[in-house]
Amino acid sequence: MANATHAAAAAATTTSALWTEQVVGPLSEVGKQLPAWLPGVSVDDGQGAAFYAVGLFLVASVPYFLLGGFYFALDALQLLQGRRLTPEPKGSPRSLADMLKCLAHTATMHIAVLVPYLFLAVVPALRSRGLSWEAPLPAWTEVAWHVLVSALINDTIFYWAHRIVHSPSLYRMIHKQHHKYKAPFAWASEYAGVFELLAIDGTPIFVGPYLLRSHVFSLYVWMFIRLVYTLEIHSGFDLWVWRLIPFYGGAPMHEWHHNNTLGNYSDCFSIWDRLCGTYFEPPPLGSKKKVRSD
């Protein structure tokens, strides 16, 4: 037992050393060189704020279009269709043309809504808390801790906001647009109106980094991870590997929500749904399901 503990500690030390040497070290050098590449750019002035806003926009947009494109390719090439949670949706658009039409909408929202939101709201708020990209970059343990706490905070806010907009008085006014797709696909993850996109989907992402005064690098990592799982839960594919993460609901849990328009309100983890009695166990893959209409 002692030997196993010693081996685990040694492995952790080696992993930490490799992270510092191979990742943190080189990226810290990048951070040191930024002033040389971008003369006069400082996070404390308007030019620097614009630089960081562009970084946030790229992290929020590039993975969305590329990873969403991967899931689109699975449908276009008819790959892994046996892992489809709702193979033949009725009353819900999911043809390739429907997906591209959705993409056109979300791309427009990224330009017309996300860009000014990042420039005018997010970056000023983060700067007020000490937005920084100073070398050295944070240790991997700090990055992991900030990502975990940010995910839990995001999940808490999202659960309650999402549950509220499912009330009859707000659903049709705010949230029904997102539920156009009863059997969703990845790009439909951001198919929503302006208020929902910013207040329910967007703002909770930044609450954790704001409270923790996260380093910009930690913020970028968290945004990337959040985007990956948001696309996954809307992908419509049951990729079993995600089940290895404790309390992660994944696509099966969120697909059930889209099929039935109630319950399973959480964004990532199933913790709040289980605590509040709104968790519904998704049916096994391949079982026949009824899709509820609004």
Side-chain angles (χ1 to χ4, degrees):
M1 185 69 176
N3 289 337
T5 302
H6 179 74
T13 301
T14 302
T15 301
S16 178
L18 286 172
W19 168 271
T20 301
E21 178 184 351
Q22 301 296 328
V23 179
V24 175
L27 287 175
S28 294
E29 289 302 315
V30 171
K32 293 176 183 177
Q33 296 300 320
L34 277 177
W37 296 345
L38 299 163
V41 171
S42 166
V43 73
D44 295 324
D45 60 31
Q47 189 179 6
F51 172 74
Y52 287 108
V54 169
L56 292 174
F57 175 76
L58 292 176
V59 174
S61 298
V62 174
Y64 171 79
F65 294 114
L66 292 183
L67 187 54
F70 164 76
Y71 287 114
F72 175 80
L74 294 182
D75 280 317
L77 301 175
Q78 290 295 292
L79 300 174
L80 297 181
Q81 294 303 299
R83 306 300 299 178
R84 261 293 183 186
L85 290 160
T86 309
E88 298 179 1
K90 294 182 179 180
S92 177
R94 201 183 68 194
S95 68
L96 297 182
D98 291 320
M99 294 183 187
L100 292 174
K101 184 178 180 180
C102 173
L103 177 62
H105 170 85
T106 56
T108 301
M109 295 289 276
H110 271 239
I111 299 298
V113 176
L114 186 59
V115 170
Y117 170 66
L118 293 174
F119 273 80
L120 302 177
V122 173
V123 169
L126 293 176
R127 287 173 69 194
S128 73
R129 293 285 289 174
L131 179 67
S132 171
W133 189 312
E134 301 295 334
L137 297 183
W140 70 269
T141 49
E142 179 182 320
V143 175
W145 171 246
H146 281 218
V147 167
L148 177 60
V149 173
S150 295
L152 292 172
I153 291 174
N154 174 80
D155 222 43
T156 299
I157 299 172
F158 184 89
Y159 172 85
W160 290 106
H162 189 194
R163 186 171 176 178
I164 288 170
V165 296
H166 267 273
S167 63
S169 58
L170 296 177
Y171 176 75
R172 292 186 181 277
M173 182 170 57
I174 296 175
H175 193 49
K176 185 177 180 179
Q177 177 178 340
H178 182 66
H179 276 270
K180 173 182 179 179
Y181 302 103
K182 296 294 182 181
F185 46 90
W187 283 328
S189 60
E190 295 185 9
Y191 186 79
V194 174
F195 177 81
E196 180 174 7
L197 186 65
L198 299 184
I200 299 175
D201 294 335
T203 299
I205 297 173
F206 300 104
V207 174
Y210 177 85
L211 295 176
L212 295 169
R213 298 189 178 187
S214 295
H215 192 280
V216 174
F217 180 72
S218 300
L219 171 59
Y220 286 170
V221 172
W222 154 235
M223 287 180 64
F224 176 78
I225 291 174
R226 198 268 180 182
L227 192 56
V228 168
Y229 74 66
T230 297
L231 288 163
E232 190 277 329
I233 67 174
H234 286 89
S235 70
F237 287 94
D238 182 6
L239 304 179
W240 63 269
V241 66
W242 296 104
R243 297 174 186 264
L244 300 176
I245 303 174
F247 296 105
Y248 181 73
M253 180 174 124
H254 200 68
E255 184 98 354
W256 194 97
H257 173 77
H258 272 262
N259 287 170
N260 296 276
T261 325
L262 80 164
N264 292 354
Y265 298 113
S266 295
D267 186 34
C268 177
F269 302 108
S270 61
I271 299 172
W272 279 108
D273 280 298
R274 293 178 187 275
L275 287 175
C276 298
T278 55
Y279 178 75
F280 293 86
E281 187 69 33
L285 182 68
S287 61
K288 292 184 178 181
K289 298 182 292 182
K290 293 182 178 180
V291 177
R292 174 182 171 182
S293 60
D294 289 338

